[in-house]
Amino acid sequence: MSGTQLTVTLSGGGADDARAVVRALEGTFGAPDELPADEKATVHMATFDSDTDAGAGGSTGEGGERLSAPVTVTVQGSPEAVRRASDTLTRVFTARDDGVASGDQEQERQLLLVP
């Protein structure tokens, strides 16, 4: 797994909320494989697979898009990618860290983002 490959799973909120979270990560990881689109889905996913830095931080910064409902976000990837994603999301949204699990080469962190 490259240093910036990241899988993001989102539940809660709607497709607009999922897109807001994914767009917040684009400044750090570049464009995802695709934006969440299914309005009826209860779980959304996006994968970032970029070997280059897209920027120095989140794309929206303080005062970015607002969420309509709480969103549980699970980020999974290399420890560095998970750290960068967590830093970006906690800078852009009001977030609660719900824990981390580490494996040999991957890490998983869960955050609760609130409106």
Side-chain angles (χ1 to χ4, degrees), residues 70-113:
V71 176
T72 299
V73 179
T74 303
V75 290
Q76 180 181 12
S78 70
E80 175 65 13
V82 169
R83 182 195 61 77
R84 290 172 58 207
S86 297
D87 289 350
T88 298
L89 293 174
T90 57
R91 188 172 43 252
V92 175
F93 300 102
T94 301
R96 181 182 78 201
D97 188 340
D98 280 349
V100 64
S102 296
D104 286 344
Q105 297 183 21
E106 286 189 346
Q107 191 174 69
E108 180 177 291
R109 179 175 300 275
Q110 188 168 7
L111 300 168
L112 176 65
L113 308 181

Side-chain angles (χ1 to χ4, degrees), residues 27-67:
T28 302
F29 294 97
D33 55 352
E34 62 184 274
L35 285 173
D38 186 350
E39 297 293 332
K40 295 180 182 178
T42 58
V43 176
H44 299 276
M45 288 188 66
T47 302
F48 295 88
D49 189 14
S50 173
D51 287 323
T52 60
D53 288 341
S59 61
T60 58
E62 297 297 326
E65 297 185 57
R66 301 258 183 230
L67 300 175

